[in-house]
Amino acid sequence: MTESRILQVEALRVAFETRQGTVHAVNGVDFDVRPGDVLGIVGESGCGKSATLRAIAGLTQPPGEVTGGSVRFADRELVGLSRRSLRQVLGKDIGFISQSPFGALNPILSIEAQFRNVIRAHRRATKRECREIALRALTDVGIAGPDRVLGGYAHQLSGGMAQRVVIAMAMVHDPRLLLADEPTTALDVTVQRQILDLVTGLIAEAGRSMVLVTHDLSVVAQYCTRVLVMYAGRPVEEGTVRQVFKSPRHPYTQALLAAVPRVGEEIRGLSGGLPDLIDYPVGCPYAERCPRATALCAEEMPAMASCVPGRAAACHHPLEEVASYAAS
Amino acid sequence: MSPLARYALKRILLLPVMLFLVATFAFLLVTVLPGDPATLIAGDFASKDALAKVRADLGLDQSLWHQYTSYLGSLLHGDLGESFFTGSSVTDEMARRLPSSMVIIVPSLLVAVLLGTAIGTLGGYYRRKPVGRSTSVLISGIQGVPPFFLAIVLIDLLVFELRIFPTPTGMLYASTQRPPERTGSVVVDAFLAQDWGVLGDVAAHAILPVASTGIFLASYFAKTVRTSVTQALSTPQIEFARGCGLPERQVVRYALLTSRTSVLTYIAILFGVMLGASAIVEVVFSWPGIGGWALDGVLKGDLPVIQGFVVVTGLIVIVAYVVLDVLVAALDPRISY
Ligand SMILES: Nc1ncnc2c1ncn2[C@@H]1O[C@H](COP(=O)(O)OP(=O)(O)O)[C@@H](O)[C@H]1O
Ligand code: SF4
Ligand SMILES: [Mg+2]
């Protein structure tokens, strides 16, 4: 069983030490990723998606700190690994793409020089070999004039092109797992789709896996196989995209789905805000906003409970399964 | 012509205009300074006739406009006038002393950049570790100690106690055989004569003034580098570099690249500051540079010296800034000219 799981995240916790107190940003996140999975992590802004993704890649920056839990990649524990050992894995077996393509690229070095550094981080290669590898990688991400791009600088690229370059760099060593944090938020809608088509295509091609952080449920619906819904740093629901979208069990998931504007429909915004992450609630963090909340909810934290393997929700009073799924 | 060359040319063509402004500023500065030069030269008890004669000799009886145009005319010929007190040509004096000052200023800046970048990088990279915190203490410590005080401590310890360095009495030993005089500047003459012995002596004497100035200036570079490295390390750019598995030394290099412009700017600014403020170190080490000489001129009210000093250092600083601008443009692909 273990071999089929490329990534296992267990009880992961991240906290930020601030002047106001300790911000509990990630509070016990568990999930698995299997080869071929595209796992979408969704939730409102500030619910700990980025913090989770960074913690997995060992990129948590002070004042943030991974305060507990485990991240196993191909049966190797990553939490607590030294930067030196971690860097052998990053970029090689795990690719990482961040939100802003322009932010990610070095503004002063040429694209070719940056490619060379990325390639040489994991293998020996002459300048010429690096160039060839880079040209191929750029062609793979659908860049028509790779020569020109290679000789240029980040600021000469459009947003979509820059993100393609970033993807090409992140995937130049054929990582088995790609971590992407809202990779298209900074781009306009048509380009967003092109980029997501491209990335998920590359992932599917080679049986690779991906964790895709997004706040856009339509992206999850279109591109992901599985989804993890987060609230206040905790997972509240997990399952296949079909299961969760058809038949949400957690009231928060239901609210999220209802807030997605359909054609001709008004956006029904979520009322209220996230709970205090410093003085974290003892009970269900969603209780304040939940229409189903009872006295129990305010007192006791609901744990993730699965009804079917791979399908779980953290709620004392979950919504009924739609019949067809309850049966399956 | 490449865009960069065109940009450089544009900046260079502006130089004469800026020099003209500096020259005008120096002229006005001297005319508004309090005190009467004639009294200064002839003495407080000079007769009216004597004063009038001195005035006429200096051209002070002419209209201000006439004085200004003749001043600009001489300037065009490289003539900065003569010192009121020694009668020596200001141009010659500057030519003789400027190279000596550069022997301190340029290496000091070099030391400061290297040392400051190293300290600042350590401070930024290990900002949450004891190493990083101790660099902050070090930086503020250095900034709290005036460079002349550091110089005196170094002289006391390394010259008089440990006898490692020569006594702080100028650039040469009493016994040094001077090179044949051609330009008047010992440093330049020694170069022209390829007299390495003399240059070695100069170097031996320069170490302590360079060290004390360089260490002091290093604190400024350390501060700016620490700030920009700290900032850079929390950018998505560094996150992506690490996410690609770049080794930490590359990561630090990426972070340092972003501080390149501010370091260059500091070099130009501190170079200008040092041209004007090298006096104290020169006095402490009896160094025959422009700083001590200009300070003397200011204290005595030697107007041609002050004027000449302002014009020449102004010109050098302006040129340094042009070089800086072109360099920054050349090093940063984002700047379009
Ligand atoms: N540098 C930081 N200092 C303090 N708190 C932070 C910092 N970064 C993130 N947080 C907190 O961690 C929580 C999760 O942030 P994040 O993972 O970026 O959310 P998301 O990506 O889901 O929008 C936020 O509520 C935020 O307040
Ligand atoms: S546990 Fe209670 S408060 Fe929390 S989501 Fe379920 S019903 Fe709502
Ligand atoms: Mg985020």
Side-chain angles (χ1 to χ4, degrees), chain B residues 115-129:
Chain B
L115 195 63
T117 305
I119 295 175
T121 308
L122 276 180
Y125 190 78
Y126 294 110
R127 67 196 170 286
R128 285 163 199 282
K129 303 250 167 70

Side-chain angles (χ1 to χ4, degrees), chain B residues 70-237:
Chain B
S70 75
Y71 155 78
L72 285 183
S74 331
L75 205 57
L76 277 181
H77 294 98
D79 177 7
L80 294 166
E82 285 96 38
S83 160
F84 284 166
F85 298 99
T86 63
S88 62
S89 152
V90 171
T91 310
D92 289 351
E93 199 80 35
M94 292 286 297
R96 183 156 50 240
R97 289 172 175 277
L98 202 56
S100 311
S101 287
M102 292 300 171
V103 166
I104 306 267
I105 294 174
V106 174
S108 298
L109 281 170
L110 207 67
V111 168
V113 170
L114 295 178
L115 195 63
T117 305
I119 295 175
T121 308
L122 276 180
Y125 190 78
Y126 294 110
R127 67 196 170 286
R128 285 163 199 282
K129 303 250 167 70
V131 181
R133 294 213 188 87
S134 53
T135 61
S136 322
V137 176
L138 185 66
I139 292 171
S140 7
I142 293 174
Q143 279 188 328
V145 179
F148 77 87
F149 186 76
L150 182 62
I152 290 170
V153 171
L154 288 179
I155 289 170
D156 200 52
L157 186 71
L158 300 177
V159 175
F160 295 118
E161 293 294 328
L162 300 175
R163 297 176 183 280
I164 297 174
F165 292 108
T167 50
T169 48
M171 299 196 293
L172 302 173
Y173 296 98
S175 59
T176 306
Q177 196 80 54
R178 287 169 171 264
E181 190 165 321
R182 276 145 109 179
T183 62
S185 157
V186 171
V187 181
V188 176
D189 287 346
F191 247 114
L192 293 177
Q194 302 198 330
D195 190 337
W196 308 120
V198 170
L199 289 175
D201 288 353
V202 172
H205 282 82
I207 290 175
L208 282 188
V210 164
S212 45
T213 317
I215 289 173
F216 179 71
L217 294 180
S219 59
Y220 292 92
F221 289 103
K223 254 194 159 146
T224 175
V225 168
R226 186 184 54 186
T227 308
S228 52
V229 165
T230 303
Q231 269 169 8
L233 283 176
S234 63
T235 56
Q237 188 209 319

Side-chain angles (χ1 to χ4, degrees), chain A residues 54 61-62 87 103 106 117, chain B residues 128 237 239 242 244-245 254 333:
Chain A
R54 289 200 182 103
Q61 280 285 320
R87 85 151 200 88
N106 186 306
N117 290 336
Chain B
R128 285 163 199 282
Q237 188 209 319
E239 181 169 83
R242 283 191 170 133
C244 288
Y254 276 36

Side-chain angles (χ1 to χ4, degrees), chain A residues 44-51 54 99 181-182 213-215:
Chain A
E44 285 162 89
S45 169
C47 72
K49 305 182 296 290
S50 300
R54 289 200 182 103
Q99 193 163 328
D181 188 357
E182 313 214 23
V213 163
T214 177
H215 59 251

Side-chain angles (χ1 to χ4, degrees), chain A residues 250-252 284 286-287 290 292-294 297 302 314-318:
Chain A
H250 197 282
Y252 177 64
C284 173
Y286 189 56
C290 183
R292 297 170 75 90
T294 60
C297 301
C315 177
H316 292 305
H317 314 292

